Amino acid sequence: MLKIENFSKTYKSTGKKAVENLNLELFPGEIFGLLGPNGAGKSTTIKTVCGILACEEGTITINGYDLKKQTIDAKLSMGYVPDNHETYDKLSGMEYINFMADVYGVSIEDRKARGDKFIKIFNLEEAINKQIKTYSHGMKQKIVVIGALIHNPKLWILDEPMMGLDPSSAFELKEAMRQHASEGNTVCFSSHVLEVVEKLCDRICIIDDGKLVAIGKIEDLKGNSGDNSLEDYFLKLTGGTEA
């Protein structure tokens, strides 16, 4: 579903490689965790996969489409939830959903069915026709999630999705991630909350200083190292820094 080959990214302002020769492959039906210390290259990788940053070195393929050569098809295959809420605050929640559906060419029938389903799942019935500027942090996160899922993307990418969410909203989001993967799609997310990653992910990778240092099933990684938790394994591998 997502294949990253020999990807490197150098920022001209510093001359330092933010990501160096990264190779990853994600498969249908799995939830994949992208971990690493702050500044390790996680967000750079995510933003490049989503087309926000240019892919200058290496190849990124999404759902069989080369991101450089088949950009529109690749982007139509993914949904992206950023770590900040980029919405149009003067729109109502429903107007925003319809705007995103228009962007992705979703039919009236499909957008209504999916929109109604997610509005109910995320308990937004009373707020959906109010302006987004009146929403709480968690409500804005939910409306961005709906916008990212309205076209039923094959690849769903989330950058720090649990940040600032109350327990109920976090639970709803995790259930939506599980459901999306269970339908044969792929979910990829970065997170500082290692307990969530350990419970939710089928596989993970850890990036440190722009390089891939570990990848695999969590139980296999812990078993091979003798660690009792993902946190222990992560801290040992990255020199004791936070995720």
Side-chain angles (χ1 to χ4, degrees), residues 49-81:
V49 169
C50 294
I52 298 170
L53 298 176
C55 179
E56 295 154 350
E57 297 181 60
T59 303
I60 296 175
T61 306
I62 300 166
N63 193 29
Y65 298 110
D66 187 312
L67 184 60
K68 292 179 184 176
K69 299 175 182 178
Q70 300 162 292
T71 305
I72 300 300
D73 288 325
K75 289 184 176 182
L76 286 172
S77 297
M78 77 173 85
Y80 172 50
V81 177

CSV table of all heavy atoms in Angstrom, one decimal, residues 49-81:
chain,number,residue,atom,x,y,z
A,49,VAL,N,5.5,12.0,2.1
A,49,VAL,CA,4.5,11.0,1.5
A,49,VAL,C,3.3,11.7,1.1
A,49,VAL,O,2.7,11.3,0.1
A,49,VAL,CB,4.3,9.9,2.6
A,49,VAL,CG1,3.1,9.0,2.2
A,49,VAL,CG2,5.5,9.0,2.8
A,50,CYS,N,2.8,12.7,1.9
A,50,CYS,CA,1.6,13.4,1.6
A,50,CYS,C,1.7,14.4,0.5
A,50,CYS,O,0.7,15.0,0.1
A,50,CYS,CB,1.0,14.0,2.8
A,50,CYS,SG,0.5,12.8,4.1
A,51,GLY,N,3.0,14.7,0.0
A,51,GLY,CA,3.2,15.6,-1.1
A,51,GLY,C,3.4,17.1,-0.6
A,51,GLY,O,3.4,18.0,-1.4
A,52,ILE,N,3.4,17.3,0.7
A,52,ILE,CA,3.6,18.6,1.2
A,52,ILE,C,5.1,19.1,1.0
A,52,ILE,O,5.4,20.2,0.7
A,52,ILE,CB,3.3,18.7,2.7
A,52,ILE,CG1,1.8,18.3,2.9
A,52,ILE,CG2,3.6,20.0,3.3
A,52,ILE,CD1,1.4,18.1,4.4
A,53,LEU,N,6.0,18.1,1.2
A,53,LEU,CA,7.4,18.3,0.8
A,53,LEU,C,7.7,17.5,-0.4
A,53,LEU,O,7.2,16.5,-0.6
A,53,LEU,CB,8.3,17.9,2.0
A,53,LEU,CG,8.1,18.6,3.3
A,53,LEU,CD1,9.0,18.0,4.4
A,53,LEU,CD2,8.5,20.1,3.2
A,54,ALA,N,8.7,18.1,-1.2
A,54,ALA,CA,9.0,17.4,-2.4
A,54,ALA,C,9.9,16.2,-2.1
A,54,ALA,O,10.8,16.2,-1.3
A,54,ALA,CB,9.8,18.3,-3.3
A,55,CYS,N,9.7,15.1,-2.9
A,55,CYS,CA,10.5,13.9,-2.8
A,55,CYS,C,11.6,14.0,-3.8
A,55,CYS,O,11.4,13.8,-5.0
A,55,CYS,CB,9.7,12.7,-3.1
A,55,CYS,SG,10.6,11.1,-3.0
A,56,GLU,N,12.8,14.4,-3.4
A,56,GLU,CA,13.9,14.7,-4.3
A,56,GLU,C,14.8,13.5,-4.4
A,56,GLU,O,15.5,13.4,-5.5
A,56,GLU,CB,14.7,15.9,-3.7
A,56,GLU,CG,13.8,17.2,-3.8
A,56,GLU,CD,14.3,18.2,-2.7
A,56,GLU,OE1,15.1,17.9,-1.9
A,56,GLU,OE2,13.8,19.4,-2.8
A,57,GLU,N,15.0,12.7,-3.4
A,57,GLU,CA,15.8,11.5,-3.5
A,57,GLU,C,15.0,10.3,-3.1
A,57,GLU,O,14.5,10.2,-2.0
A,57,GLU,CB,17.0,11.7,-2.5
A,57,GLU,CG,18.0,12.8,-2.8
A,57,GLU,CD,19.1,12.9,-1.8
A,57,GLU,OE1,19.9,11.9,-1.8
A,57,GLU,OE2,19.3,13.9,-1.1
A,58,GLY,N,15.0,9.3,-4.0
A,58,GLY,CA,14.3,8.1,-3.7
A,58,GLY,C,12.9,8.0,-4.4
A,58,GLY,O,12.6,8.9,-5.2
A,59,THR,N,12.2,7.0,-4.1
A,59,THR,CA,10.9,6.7,-4.7
A,59,THR,C,9.8,6.4,-3.7
A,59,THR,O,10.1,5.7,-2.7
A,59,THR,CB,11.0,5.5,-5.7
A,59,THR,OG1,12.0,5.8,-6.7
A,59,THR,CG2,9.7,5.3,-6.4
A,60,ILE,N,8.7,7.0,-3.8
A,60,ILE,CA,7.5,6.7,-2.9
A,60,ILE,C,6.4,6.3,-3.8
A,60,ILE,O,5.9,7.0,-4.7
A,60,ILE,CB,7.1,8.0,-2.1
A,60,ILE,CG1,8.3,8.4,-1.2
A,60,ILE,CG2,5.8,7.7,-1.3
A,60,ILE,CD1,8.0,9.6,-0.4
A,61,THR,N,5.8,5.1,-3.5
A,61,THR,CA,4.7,4.5,-4.2
A,61,THR,C,3.5,4.3,-3.3
A,61,THR,O,3.7,3.7,-2.2
A,61,THR,CB,5.1,3.2,-4.9
A,61,THR,OG1,6.3,3.4,-5.7
A,61,THR,CG2,4.0,2.7,-5.8
A,62,ILE,N,2.4,4.8,-3.7
A,62,ILE,CA,1.1,4.7,-2.9
A,62,ILE,C,0.1,4.0,-3.7
A,62,ILE,O,-0.3,4.5,-4.7
A,62,ILE,CB,0.6,6.1,-2.4
A,62,ILE,CG1,1.7,6.9,-1.6
A,62,ILE,CG2,-0.6,6.0,-1.6
A,62,ILE,CD1,1.5,8.3,-1.5
A,63,ASN,N,-0.4,2.9,-3.2
A,63,ASN,CA,-1.4,2.1,-3.8
A,63,ASN,C,-1.0,1.8,-5.3
A,63,ASN,O,-1.9,1.8,-6.2
A,63,ASN,CB,-2.8,2.9,-3.8
A,63,ASN,CG,-3.9,2.0,-4.2
A,63,ASN,OD1,-3.9,0.8,-4.0
A,63,ASN,ND2,-5.0,2.6,-4.7
A,64,GLY,N,0.3,1.6,-5.5
A,64,GLY,CA,0.7,1.3,-6.9
A,64,GLY,C,1.1,2.5,-7.7
A,64,GLY,O,1.6,2.4,-8.8
A,65,TYR,N,0.8,3.7,-7.2
A,65,TYR,CA,1.1,5.0,-8.0
A,65,TYR,C,2.4,5.6,-7.5
A,65,TYR,O,2.6,5.8,-6.3
A,65,TYR,CB,-0.1,5.9,-7.8
A,65,TYR,CG,-1.4,5.4,-8.3
A,65,TYR,CD1,-2.4,5.1,-7.5
A,65,TYR,CD2,-1.6,5.3,-9.7
A,65,TYR,CE1,-3.6,4.7,-7.9
A,65,TYR,CE2,-2.8,4.8,-10.2
A,65,TYR,CZ,-3.8,4.5,-9.3
A,65,TYR,OH,-5.1,4.1,-9.8
A,66,ASP,N,3.2,6.0,-8.5
A,66,ASP,CA,4.5,6.7,-8.2
A,66,ASP,C,4.1,8.1,-7.8
A,66,ASP,O,3.5,8.9,-8.6
A,66,ASP,CB,5.4,6.6,-9.4
A,66,ASP,CG,6.8,7.2,-9.1
A,66,ASP,OD1,6.8,8.3,-8.6
A,66,ASP,OD2,7.8,6.6,-9.5
A,67,LEU,N,4.5,8.6,-6.6
A,67,LEU,CA,4.1,9.9,-6.2
A,67,LEU,C,4.7,11.0,-7.1
A,67,LEU,O,4.0,12.1,-7.2
A,67,LEU,CB,4.6,10.1,-4.7
A,67,LEU,CG,4.2,11.4,-4.0
A,67,LEU,CD1,2.7,11.6,-3.9
A,67,LEU,CD2,4.9,11.5,-2.6
A,68,LYS,N,5.8,10.8,-7.7
A,68,LYS,CA,6.4,11.8,-8.6
A,68,LYS,C,5.7,11.9,-9.9
A,68,LYS,O,5.4,12.9,-10.5
A,68,LYS,CB,7.9,11.6,-8.8
A,68,LYS,CG,8.7,11.8,-7.5
A,68,LYS,CD,10.2,11.5,-7.9
A,68,LYS,CE,11.1,11.5,-6.7
A,68,LYS,NZ,12.5,11.1,-7.0
A,69,LYS,N,5.4,10.7,-10.5
A,69,LYS,CA,4.9,10.6,-11.8
A,69,LYS,C,3.4,10.6,-11.9
A,69,LYS,O,2.8,11.0,-12.9
A,69,LYS,CB,5.5,9.3,-12.5
A,69,LYS,CG,7.0,9.3,-12.6
A,69,LYS,CD,7.5,8.0,-13.2
A,69,LYS,CE,9.0,8.0,-13.2
A,69,LYS,NZ,9.5,6.7,-13.8
A,70,GLN,N,2.7,10.0,-10.9
A,70,GLN,CA,1.3,9.9,-10.9
A,70,GLN,C,0.7,10.6,-9.6
A,70,GLN,O,0.0,10.0,-8.8
A,70,GLN,CB,0.9,8.4,-10.9
A,70,GLN,CG,1.4,7.7,-12.2
A,70,GLN,CD,1.4,6.2,-12.0
A,70,GLN,OE1,2.1,5.7,-11.2
A,70,GLN,NE2,0.5,5.5,-12.7
A,71,THR,N,1.1,11.9,-9.5
A,71,THR,CA,0.8,12.6,-8.2
A,71,THR,C,-0.6,12.6,-7.8
A,71,THR,O,-1.0,12.3,-6.6
A,71,THR,CB,1.3,14.0,-8.3
A,71,THR,OG1,2.7,14.0,-8.7
A,71,THR,CG2,1.2,14.8,-7.0
A,72,ILE,N,-1.5,12.9,-8.7
A,72,ILE,CA,-2.9,13.0,-8.4
A,72,ILE,C,-3.5,11.7,-8.0
A,72,ILE,O,-4.2,11.6,-6.9
A,72,ILE,CB,-3.8,13.6,-9.5
A,72,ILE,CG1,-3.2,15.0,-9.9
A,72,ILE,CG2,-5.2,13.7,-9.2
A,72,ILE,CD1,-3.3,16.0,-8.7
A,73,ASP,N,-3.2,10.7,-8.7
A,73,ASP,CA,-3.7,9.3,-8.4
A,73,ASP,C,-3.2,8.9,-7.0
A,73,ASP,O,-3.9,8.3,-6.2
A,73,ASP,CB,-3.3,8.3,-9.4
A,73,ASP,CG,-4.1,8.5,-10.7
A,73,ASP,OD1,-5.3,8.8,-10.6
A,73,ASP,OD2,-3.5,8.3,-11.8
A,74,ALA,N,-1.9,9.2,-6.7
A,74,ALA,CA,-1.4,8.8,-5.4
A,74,ALA,C,-2.1,9.5,-4.3
A,74,ALA,O,-2.4,8.9,-3.3
A,74,ALA,CB,0.1,9.1,-5.4
A,75,LYS,N,-2.3,10.8,-4.5
A,75,LYS,CA,-2.9,11.6,-3.4
A,75,LYS,C,-4.4,11.2,-3.2
A,75,LYS,O,-4.9,11.3,-2.1
A,75,LYS,CB,-2.8,13.1,-3.7
A,75,LYS,CG,-1.4,13.6,-3.6
A,75,LYS,CD,-1.3,15.1,-3.8
A,75,LYS,CE,0.1,15.6,-3.5
A,75,LYS,NZ,0.2,17.1,-3.7
A,76,LEU,N,-5.1,10.9,-4.3
A,76,LEU,CA,-6.4,10.4,-4.2
A,76,LEU,C,-6.6,9.1,-3.4
A,76,LEU,O,-7.6,8.8,-2.9
A,76,LEU,CB,-7.1,10.2,-5.6
A,76,LEU,CG,-7.4,11.5,-6.3
A,76,LEU,CD1,-7.9,11.2,-7.8
A,76,LEU,CD2,-8.5,12.3,-5.6
A,77,SER,N,-5.4,8.4,-3.3
A,77,SER,CA,-5.4,7.1,-2.6
A,77,SER,C,-5.2,7.2,-1.1
A,77,SER,O,-5.2,6.3,-0.4
A,77,SER,CB,-4.4,6.2,-3.2
A,77,SER,OG,-4.6,5.9,-4.5
A,78,MET,N,-5.0,8.5,-0.6
A,78,MET,CA,-4.6,8.7,0.8
A,78,MET,C,-5.5,9.7,1.5
A,78,MET,O,-6.1,10.6,0.8
A,78,MET,CB,-3.2,9.0,1.0
A,78,MET,CG,-2.8,10.5,0.6
A,78,MET,SD,-1.1,11.0,1.0
A,78,MET,CE,-0.4,10.4,-0.5
A,79,GLY,N,-5.6,9.6,2.8
A,79,GLY,CA,-6.2,10.6,3.6
A,79,GLY,C,-5.2,11.0,4.7
A,79,GLY,O,-4.5,10.2,5.2
A,80,TYR,N,-5.1,12.3,5.0
A,80,TYR,CA,-4.1,12.8,5.9
A,80,TYR,C,-4.7,13.6,7.0
A,80,TYR,O,-5.5,14.5,6.8
A,80,TYR,CB,-3.1,13.6,5.1
A,80,TYR,CG,-2.1,14.4,5.9
A,80,TYR,CD1,-1.3,13.8,6.9
A,80,TYR,CD2,-1.9,15.7,5.7
A,80,TYR,CE1,-0.3,14.4,7.6
A,80,TYR,CE2,-0.9,16.5,6.4
A,80,TYR,CZ,-0.1,15.8,7.3
A,80,TYR,OH,0.8,16.5,8.1
A,81,VAL,N,-4.3,13.3,8.3
A,81,VAL,CA,-4.7,14.1,9.4
A,81,VAL,C,-3.4,14.7,10.0
A,81,VAL,O,-2.6,13.9,10.6
A,81,VAL,CB,-5.4,13.2,10.5
A,81,VAL,CG1,-5.7,14.0,11.7
A,81,VAL,CG2,-6.7,12.6,9.9
